[in-house]
Amino acid sequence: MEKIIYLDNNATTKVDERVLEKMLPFYCEQYGNPSSMHSFGGNVSKYLAHAREQVADFVGAQNPYEITFTGCGTESANIAIRGALEINKTRKHIITTKVEHPCVMNTYKWLEKRGYKVTYLDVNSEGELLVDELKDVITDDTALVSIMWANNETGVVFPVEKAAKIIKDKNPKTFFYVDGVQASGKIPMDVSKANIDMLGISGHKFHAPKGVGALYVKRGILLPPLILGGHQERGLRPGTENVSGIVGIGEAAQLAKSYLEDEGTRVKALRDELERGIVKKVFNAKINSTKAQRVPNTSNISFEYIEGELMLLHFADAGICASSGSACTSGSLEPSHVLKAMGVPFTCLHGSIRFSLSRFTTKEEIDYALSVIPPIIEKINGYSPYQKELKELKELRNF
Ligand code: PLP
């Protein structure tokens, strides 16, 4: 395989080999159904129980039964949001932010079409949540607030503990869901301390396989299931358990907790080195959200006056995997709703790239990226229709 420098860990991560090793026995050896009466199957349930404890410890749940295994972060969000509204049936107002992942955003849009009134909280130009706005918008009719813990595009961390306090002070019966998908494995999470009602995470973002997620639901909140079936996961997520995946997410959660310090020091230092190196060598590069608190692995860089997709293709030719915030909708490239909400100028919007590192990222990889990115950008600058503006910018920044 050609050289791959994987800087797209917010999209998905490599499965840690130690995780895979724990999972393998559950395919061809211990493949019994945990619900079976015979011990060959029944024995498997103790591995599910262990994984539940590992995930509970990872997110700060007080009881392992507050953890339900799901298929992904999207499913966790749907069970939590739609379930909470089933409980709070008479209330018709819900709140979220302008920068949520589509799994929350599109669920809210769907609810809006079904008669819910939605308030979308703003972010500032750094991508920080204007959390105090919550005080003014929560009413007696507010059923639910949903806020992400860390943004997938900018890495900006939102003050969920402060949000929980505002919500519970104003209206204790308003539920609070936190999308923890991009915070997990990057910063410490403690749902009990933060007083969060429900939290979703996704295994493939922290070196577990794809196809397994988890949902924390605070004891006492009895969510109804989204799909109907048997008794698995206490009826909240029926269907025969993805045993190997669950064992994997448990192991990955335990490992991720032990790597949090590495993430906050070594990974952050590599991210900062990448950013410093790029702004030093590329006159039209601007790092987004530098003044905000960010998860340590994420960097969002706007390359002014050029197209993100063109950059990604050239990066891919050099073996570098990164991503842009644009979504390809019906043939047109829609700029990122996150950067738009931050008021990022038009000249930067289309040329924003997200680099996201992981515990597997090495100094050699960052050095390599820094050796190939500046010449690529210089070449692409040459294709830009904004030559006059680029020349002025170069002079302005003394290059
Ligand atoms: N929430 C955030 C912030 C994400 O970044 C993602 C995935 O990128 C999700 C939710 C959805 O997770 P999954 O891919 O497991 O459905």
Side-chain angles (χ1 to χ4, degrees), residues 42 120 264 293:
Y120 296 96
Q293 188 200 341

Side-chain angles (χ1 to χ4, degrees), residues 10-12 71-77 99-104 148-153 177 179-183 200-205 211-213 354:
N10 285 10
T12 197
C72 56
T74 301
E75 189 187 345
S76 298
V99 296
E100 294 299 305
H101 183 269
C103 71
V104 170
M148 61 196 341
W149 204 321
N151 184 271
N152 43 308
E153 292 186 31
Y177 175 68
D179 175 351
V181 169
Q182 293 290 351
I201 60 171
S202 176
H204 74 103
K205 307 288 185 180
V212 63
R354 177 187 72 190

Side-chain angles (χ1 to χ4, degrees), residues 107-139:
T107 305
Y108 267 58
K109 297 271 177 228
W110 183 84
L111 290 162
E112 211 165 13
K113 285 198 195 114
R114 278 154 187 81
Y116 281 88
K117 189 175 168 300
V118 181
T119 303
Y120 296 96
L121 300 172
D122 286 307
V123 294
N124 64 16
S125 58
E126 287 294 310
E128 293 163 311
L129 181 67
L130 303 183
V131 71
D132 286 319
E133 276 188 1
L134 258 181
K135 288 182 192 150
D136 303 325
V137 294
I138 296 175
T139 68

Side-chain angles (χ1 to χ4, degrees), residues 316-334:
D317 280 346
I320 295 178
C321 302
S323 89
S324 76
S326 307
C328 226
T329 22
S330 54
S332 72
L333 286 173
E334 207 24 60

